[in-house]
Amino acid sequence: MAAMRGAAWVVLTLTGRVVNDIVSFVVFTILDVIDVVLCFVFKVLDFVVEAEWKPCYCSSPKEAIMSSGKILVSEQGASKIVCLCSSKLQLEDISDTLYARPSLVSEVSRSTVKELRRLKVEGERNGTKRSTYTINSTIVEMLQGKMGGHHSHPIPRWSDCDCKTCTSWRSSCKDTLFVRAEGGYDKAREDVLFIHGFISSSAFWTETLFPNFSAAAKSKYRLIAVDLLGFGRSPKPTDSLYTLREHVDMIERSVLEAHKVKSFHIVAHSLGCILALAIAVKHPDAVKSLTLLAPPYFPVPKGEQGSQYVLRRVAPRRVWPLIAFGASIGCWYEHISRTVCLIICKNHRLWEFITKLITRNRIRTFLIDGFFCHTHYAAWHTLHNIICGSASKIDGYLEAVRDQLKCRVTMFHGRDDELLPVECSYAVQSKIPRAQVKVVEKKDHITLVVGRQKAFARELEEIWNKTSD
């Protein structure tokens, strides 16, 4: 009887996978087409509303990058941008997943363009005359002039909110991040830096953990939570491509330098774990402990292209589970995700009011606030340049933490995390054998903290106290 139940379960599982694969193929093929249509729609709307035809990564990645005032450099398949920082030229990595996301529609479009070009070349060789479309050169020059502008916009784009919270389109070289610091009342204080994950804000920490730390902890530790560049109440500049270097530089300027932090503990969640590792490697003697929550680490198999492999793992183009479907929408579709931001983020004040009215739940409200307070431009570039683009760097960071840092390394992971499986933390442990992995049963990517904030606050205090001792 047990054998029959086991066999039936296997059959049902395989059937479910096949159905999921078939439905996913159909749904994402339709979404591929919709994204192409939306690309044209947004170009027209941008030109009508702002008199500017915005470049995007579907048509011209070079144009999209250079429109931010950066110079694109490509060598052996890798892409970098050149920027001027402190009178020095620096190279910053950008992810090829920004402009290379394979799909059926893109492959068909690319093949069609190649075939048309081939026919055109053959026609010119044979002296045959074919009908072609022509565009007035004056219009072309006008569009190129609009698309090649290297200035930052003093006002927000029409599809983004312009309230005080959404400080969109400020220059990244002048502003600092929004930082909230509490505690540390004793002279011999220690600092703790909290870094949130993707589409979140400092409220992820300040509304959950900060009120639950003990009086002794608040007296001894200065708790510092930051809104990452492009999120929450931090600037969301147009002249930024939200690369790893830009995020780390802004944290250093806004926290380490502004608050005169010399040595500190780091607590980071999800995407923030990558930034935490980069900061730890850059300041090896200053980091006292490293606590990573659901780190997005996927060891890249030999022969695989790192960024593309991570993209497929984080966003597998599946309709189930729902969190994978949402991640796939955000990662694969530049214009569909912009449409979502247009509906949700531009009208975030209305949605926040409705949510508070209906739920009367502060925790759920602050989570939605974090989800609303960003721009599509910031989220799109951060997602690709940090999560996918760091694939070639994260192994080096982990090895540096293992070999060069002596700090305590602890990881927490929810057993039911469907976005980043528990294997991610164990993969980190395989690179840093001294790291400790704590798996929390019946918790997922968010409830790893939210809903167990009191217990987690005690666990963090224990880690810091043992490190200090």
Side-chain angles (χ1 to χ4, degrees):
M1 191 67 177
M4 291 179 63
R5 288 180 180 176
W9 177 254
V10 171
V11 171
L12 286 174
T13 302
L14 291 176
T15 303
R17 288 178 182 174
V18 171
V19 171
N20 192 19
D21 289 344
I22 294 174
V23 174
S24 297
F25 176 79
V26 174
V27 169
F28 282 97
T29 299
I30 294 173
L31 291 176
D32 290 340
V33 176
I34 293 175
D35 200 60
V36 172
V37 174
L38 287 175
C39 175
F40 174 76
V41 171
F42 274 117
K43 283 186 181 298
V44 172
L45 289 174
D46 286 341
F47 192 78
V48 170
V49 178
E50 300 181 358
E52 242 182 319
W53 192 321
K54 302 291 185 182
C56 65
Y57 289 102
C58 335
S59 55
S60 176
K62 180 180 179 181
E63 232 170 282
I65 293 170
M66 293 181 67
S67 67
S68 66
K70 306 293 177 71
I71 303 172
L72 177 66
V73 178
S74 297
E75 182 181 3
Q76 297 178 350
S79 298
K80 296 176 181 292
I81 57 173
V82 178
C83 67
L84 184 63
C85 181
S86 303
S87 303
K88 294 181 181 179
L89 284 176
Q90 294 182 334
L91 289 176
E92 295 187 89
D93 290 314
I94 59 170
S95 175
D96 67 316
T97 57
L98 281 168
Y99 52 84
R101 300 179 304 281
S103 68
L104 180 62
V105 172
S106 65
E107 292 299 326
V108 170
S109 301
R110 194 176 294 110
S111 300
T112 303
V113 171
K114 288 182 180 179
E115 182 64 18
L116 290 174
R117 286 177 178 173
R118 185 184 66 80
L119 292 174
K120 181 180 179 180
V121 171
E122 289 182 356
E124 291 174 351
R125 288 177 181 175
N126 297 332
T128 59
K129 194 172 183 179
R130 287 182 169 82
S131 60
T132 58
Y133 291 99
T134 59
I135 302 178
N136 187 288
S137 60
T138 305
I139 297 177
V140 173
E141 291 175 2
M142 180 183 69
L143 293 178
Q144 288 176 340
K146 292 290 184 184
M147 295 172 72
H150 294 350
H151 60 279
S152 293
H153 299 264
I155 59 175
R157 297 177 71 173
W158 67 271
S159 57
D160 290 317
C161 178
D162 60 353
C163 71
K164 293 181 179 180
T165 301
C166 300
T167 52
S168 305
W169 316 125
R170 291 187 179 180
S171 173
S172 61
C173 63
K174 295 180 180 179
D175 292 312
T176 57
L177 303 177
F178 173 82
V179 178
R180 180 173 172 180
E182 291 185 9
Y185 306 119
D186 289 349
K187 293 182 178 179
R189 67 166 186 259
E190 296 183 18
D191 292 313
V192 184
L193 171 61
F194 291 84
I195 308 176
H196 65 78
F198 183 61
I199 307 188
S200 186
S201 71
S202 57
F204 182 78
W205 310 109
T206 60
E207 298 293 332
T208 57
L209 292 179
F210 281 28
N212 287 288
F213 284 118
S214 65
K218 289 183 178 180
S219 176
K220 183 177 181 181
Y221 302 104
R222 181 169 61 167
L223 312 172
I224 305 174
V226 59
D227 283 354
L228 294 178
L229 183 67
F231 298 91
R233 282 174 277 184
S234 285
K236 306 166 181 66
T238 54
D239 59 347
S240 171
L241 289 176
Y242 298 89
T243 60
L244 186 65
R245 182 192 296 274
E246 288 174 292
H247 277 288
V248 171
D249 286 349
M250 287 297 285
I251 292 175
E252 289 178 321
R253 183 191 312 166
S254 307
V255 180
L256 304 189
E257 296 174 10
H259 292 263
K260 299 180 180 180
V261 176
K262 301 301 180 183
S263 62
F264 54 100
H265 305 267
I266 303 180
V267 180
H269 177 240
S270 192
L271 174 143
C273 295
I274 300 174
L275 302 177
L277 288 169
I279 293 171
V281 171
K282 197 170 181 181
H283 302 272
D285 297 327
V287 177
K288 307 185 75 171
S289 74
L290 194 58
T291 304
L292 308 178
L293 283 64
Y297 175 54
F298 297 94
V300 181
K302 188 175 181 179
E304 289 272 4
Q305 188 175 357
S307 57
Q308 293 290 337
Y309 176 79
V310 172
L311 174 65
R312 293 194 301 271
R313 292 300 305 271
V314 174
R317 287 171 67 93
R318 291 288 182 271
V319 296
W320 190 263
L322 288 178
I323 195 168
F325 179 69
S328 298
I329 294 291
C331 288
W332 287 85
Y333 300 109
E334 182 177 1
H335 304 289
I336 292 178
S337 57
R338 184 180 174 186
T339 303
V340 173
C341 284
L342 171 62
I343 296 171
I344 295 179
C345 298
K346 184 176 176 63
N347 304 293
H348 70 86
R349 286 167 290 185
L350 173 62
W351 295 115
E352 288 166 6
F353 172 76
I354 294 174
T355 302
K356 291 177 180 178
L357 190 65
I358 294 175
T359 65
R360 299 288 184 180
N361 189 322
R362 184 172 178 81
I363 292 179
R364 294 180 63 181
T365 300
F366 87 75
L367 286 175
I368 293 176
D369 288 348
F371 181 76
F372 285 157
C373 293
H374 68 276
T375 62
H376 169 257
Y377 185 87
W380 177 258
H381 286 85
T382 298
L383 176 62
H384 284 276
N385 285 336
I386 304 300
I387 294 229
C388 299
S390 64
S392 61
K393 292 183 174 182
I394 194 166
D395 280 330
Y397 290 154
L398 294 174
E399 291 168 2
V401 171
R402 178 192 65 199
D403 300 332
Q404 301 174 21
L405 278 74
K406 298 180 180 179
C407 66
R408 182 188 183 98
V409 181
T410 309
M411 286 166 291
F412 291 85
H413 218 117
R415 176 73 72 184
D416 298 335
D417 194 331
E418 294 181 318
L419 180 64
L420 300 172
V422 177
E423 286 72 27
C424 289
S425 284
Y426 286 123
V428 172
Q429 188 183 47
S430 69
K431 300 289 289 187
I432 310 175
R434 74 174 186 274
Q436 184 179 6
V437 177
K438 297 184 177 181
V439 178
V440 185
E441 300 295 336
K442 299 181 180 180
K443 298 298 179 182
D444 57 27
H445 199 65
I446 300 298
T447 57
L448 178 64
V449 176
V450 179
R452 61 180 298 270
Q453 47 263 38
K454 289 185 179 180
F456 187 52
R458 299 290 87 75
E459 290 172 316
L460 287 177
E461 290 180 24
E462 183 181 357
I463 291 172
W464 304 334
N465 290 332
K466 287 183 177 179
T467 303
S468 301
D469 294 339

